[in-house]
Amino acid sequence: MEFFDRAETWDRAVIEAAQVVRLRNTVEQAGRCAFYAERFAEAKVTAADIRTPDDIRRIPFTTKDDLRSQYPEGLLCVPRDEIVRMHSSSGTTGTPVAICHTRNDLNSWADLMARSMYMAGVRRSDVFQNMSGYGLFTGGLGIHAGAERLGCMTIPAGAGNTLRQIKLVKDFRTTVIHIIPSYALVLANTLRENGEDPSALPLRIALIGAEPHSKETRQRVEEALGVTAYNSFGLSEMNGPGVAFECQEQNGLHVWEDAYLVEIIDPDTGEYVAEGELGELVLSTLCRVGMPILRYRTRDLTRFLPGNCACGRMHRRIDRIQGRTDDMFIIKGVNIYPMQIEHVIMGRPEVGQNYLIVLENEGPKEDIKIKVEIRDEYFVEDMRALQGLQQKIARRLQSEILVTPKVELVQPNSLPTSEGKATRVLDLREK
């Protein structure tokens, strides 16, 4: 097995020893801003109190509201003239979250991103096309820097303009792309509509992320584009992409524990969940000095995967993100996550590339309707066949979410699509 850098070969003892040293340094660095200095004083914790990675439990959680309260520069831990870049979270309402980076912070991030891409099989000889947005969104510049650090020919295509994307792939013989899963299906559909054969393209790897997706959606991306698709995870508060990534085993995402300390908690109690149990991901930076963040509650739901990975890396693996605590909705007293619905829908061969969950009032009651695009070959005039398919999907969904939804089968390409993150839930209920 090939490795990008030595830290990938560390065993658990070395990883945990490094975490203790780096966590101490991070606590000391974070204490330079008033927000964390006050938190540490209230918790009666200092850098000297950190003797094992578990001592992080002595530090209070940090939430998105905390970060917003410190906007724009309340969390800075270095002089302002040491900051060379600012990124912001993708939220569109309310006070944003701003994350500031020093030159060394950016270099560390580029190394982690290059390590992630190398682990997925990307090499210097590859042509890398970044189909992610640039600007305040971290996905564009973050993975771009990693590709250049690897030495790939890097095409900063940005998001959207699908026909141009296809032309660039063909003209420059692109072999690796970075793309949002829902947009990957849009790209595949555009290829088909324009008579292009994906197998004739040079593409071999797709790096996908930025939105939760099921294994069924990943399989569709692979089949539609003729690539191997590797799941990635990151968030602006932790730099961006490069927090965790799949290796070529495609069996969970390795969290780079030399750079991030990871915990999984019960979102209601804040206590640790058992190994393999679903919970909320909590992350701390271990190498960032411009704006370190400790015990950040991501709201993302995942679990630790037990055992060692066949690739030989000892950095712990998390499962694909199952959704977010704030994505959950309640219908008829039942808690439902959109990913439960996607798992069922995208696993059926008759279903096309898109679906939409509509929550609405039906008189005094709340109801759930799921609009599902059906592939051309299954969208026939035989009403009995369509009704049978409709009933099969509804029964399978009822078994998964414990509520019987209304299922509406619609023609291919009839639901709205986006070049950014897909909108999967439309809540029309009266508040």
Side-chain angles (χ1 to χ4, degrees), residues 326-375:
D326 49 359
D327 281 345
M328 185 192 77
F329 55 85
I330 301 174
I331 288 287
K332 299 178 181 178
V334 179
N335 296 348
I336 300 172
Y337 291 96
M339 286 290 289
Q340 293 175 275
I341 293 170
E342 177 172 309
H343 169 71
V344 172
I345 291 174
M346 301 306 271
R348 296 206 61 91
E350 306 94 340
V351 172
Q353 70 178 36
N354 210 357
Y355 67 92
L356 181 65
I357 302 164
V358 182
L359 309 177
E360 54 192 357
N361 292 116
E362 190 72 28
K365 299 186 298 182
E366 295 178 327
D367 217 337
I368 176 171
K369 178 194 296 181
I370 303 174
K371 297 183 178 183
V372 184
E373 288 186 358
I374 300 300
R375 295 182 189 271

Side-chain angles (χ1 to χ4, degrees), residues 6-7 50 78 112 135 146 176 204 263 292 304 311 348 368-369 404 408 425:
R6 183 170 294 180
I50 305 298
V78 297
L112 290 172
V176 180
R204 67 184 191 89
E263 307 167 82
F304 282 124
C311 77
R348 296 206 61 91
I368 176 171
K369 178 194 296 181
T404 302
E408 181 180 334
V425 180

Side-chain angles (χ1 to χ4, degrees), residues 205-216:
I205 290 175
L207 308 177
I208 57 177
E211 61 187 12
H213 60 282
S214 62
K215 62 181 181 181
E216 290 80 10

Side-chain angles (χ1 to χ4, degrees), residues 113 117 122 127-134 137-144 155-166 169 174-191 201 203-214 217-218 220-234 241 245-246 320 353 418-422 424:
M113 198 64 252
M117 296 172 71
V122 183
V127 177
F128 173 72
Q129 188 166 323
N130 194 8
M131 299 184 184
S132 181
Y134 284 73
F137 173 61
T138 57
L141 285 166
I143 202 164
H144 180 115
I155 303 173
N161 201 335
T162 308
L163 292 177
R164 183 187 64 180
Q165 300 281 10
I166 294 170
V169 169
T174 300
T175 54
V176 180
I177 58 174
H178 176 226
I179 192 168
I180 291 174
S182 56
Y183 183 54
L185 295 176
V186 172
L187 177 69
N189 188 57
T190 305
L191 283 166
L201 298 177
L203 295 176
R204 67 184 191 89
I205 290 175
L207 308 177
I208 57 177
E211 61 187 12
H213 60 282
S214 62
T217 294
R218 188 248 287 278
R220 282 172 175 258
V221 170
E222 291 185 327
E223 292 172 352
L225 293 177
V227 297
T228 304
Y230 294 97
N231 193 3
S232 67
F233 171 75
F245 227 89
E246 279 187 324
R320 65 178 56 249
Q353 70 178 36
S418 171
E419 294 169 346
K421 296 182 182 181
R424 296 302 192 193

Side-chain angles (χ1 to χ4, degrees), residues 243-265:
V243 174
F245 227 89
E246 279 187 324
C247 66
Q248 293 179 60
E249 297 295 326
Q250 291 183 296
N251 184 22
L253 297 90
H254 290 275
V255 180
W256 298 128
E257 294 182 273
D258 55 319
Y260 303 100
L261 201 153
V262 58
E263 307 167 82
I264 297 180
I265 64 168

